[in-house]
Amino acid sequence: MKRRRRTEILINGSLALAEKMVKMIHEYYEVVVIQEPENGLVMMKVRETSKKTLFYPGEVFVTECKVKVHESIGIGIVAGDQPTLAHHLAIIDAAFQAELPETNGWIELLEQEEQAILIKKATENKAILKTKVNFETMDVS
């Protein structure tokens, strides 16, 4: 599983899953914090669709953390002020970078969480679509 997909699942999913994964790493490995969770601003980059050019519409407030687990460095960056989640993401990223044996079972957990996220989004979309108004007229002349 690629880093981007894994991170999206952890950010959009349950915090309990990330806490469970981090607890497993803390049991067997030393976690060295390189950079405590701290706030910052990141330039947002967007590709304009018609001309395919890049532009920067503004900055995003983020929380960033870096840790070291088993000689591998992990980075956790999340939008908003979420120091706990940024720390968890960094530890999980370092564990995957180090290819620790504990990560083998995590893929299945992440895929299950991804399915739960998709079901939740589908339910929300269904609720939103109930309120959709159709403005087409039935003019038959």
Side-chain angles (χ1 to χ4, degrees):
M1 180 178 289
K2 295 195 178 193
R3 177 189 272 176
R4 180 184 176 113
R5 180 177 169 207
R6 180 179 70 230
T7 304
E8 285 179 2
I9 293 168
L10 290 167
I11 288 172
N12 295 322
S14 169
L15 184 60
L17 175 63
E19 289 173 350
K20 178 181 175 182
M21 296 163 90
V22 167
K23 191 179 287 187
M24 291 173 68
I25 295 302
H26 274 294
E27 286 180 22
Y28 301 106
Y29 302 96
E30 178 185 2
V31 176
V32 179
V33 178
I34 297 172
Q35 176 187 346
E36 289 287 337
E38 59 184 45
N39 298 326
L41 294 172
V42 175
M43 234 3 183
M44 191 168 57
K45 183 170 39 174
V46 178
R47 184 168 301 279
E48 196 271 324
T49 54
S50 63
K51 293 183 180 178
K52 306 291 186 209
T53 58
L54 292 175
F55 70 97
Y56 301 90
E59 297 173 321
V60 177
F61 181 71
V62 297
T63 306
E64 179 181 6
C65 181
K66 292 179 186 166
V67 300
K68 185 176 178 182
V69 176
H70 203 261
E71 303 304 318
S72 292
I73 295 175
I75 300 171
I77 301 174
V78 63
D81 185 22
Q82 302 183 60
T84 304
L85 183 56
H87 187 254
H88 290 346
L89 290 174
I91 293 172
I92 293 166
D93 184 48
F96 272 102
Q97 295 295 325
E99 298 179 354
L100 300 178
E102 287 79 8
T103 61
N104 295 334
W106 290 358
I107 302 296
E108 186 178 334
L109 292 173
L110 289 167
E111 288 173 347
Q112 289 172 359
E113 187 67 21
E114 184 177 41
Q115 290 303 313
I117 292 167
L118 292 174
I119 291 169
K120 181 180 175 187
K121 283 185 180 180
T123 305
E124 289 172 358
N125 286 340
K126 190 175 180 181
I128 291 169
L129 288 175
K130 284 182 181 178
T131 64
K132 185 177 177 181
V133 177
N134 187 357
F135 289 103
E136 291 182 10
T137 60
M138 300 282 288
D139 192 22
V140 186
S141 17

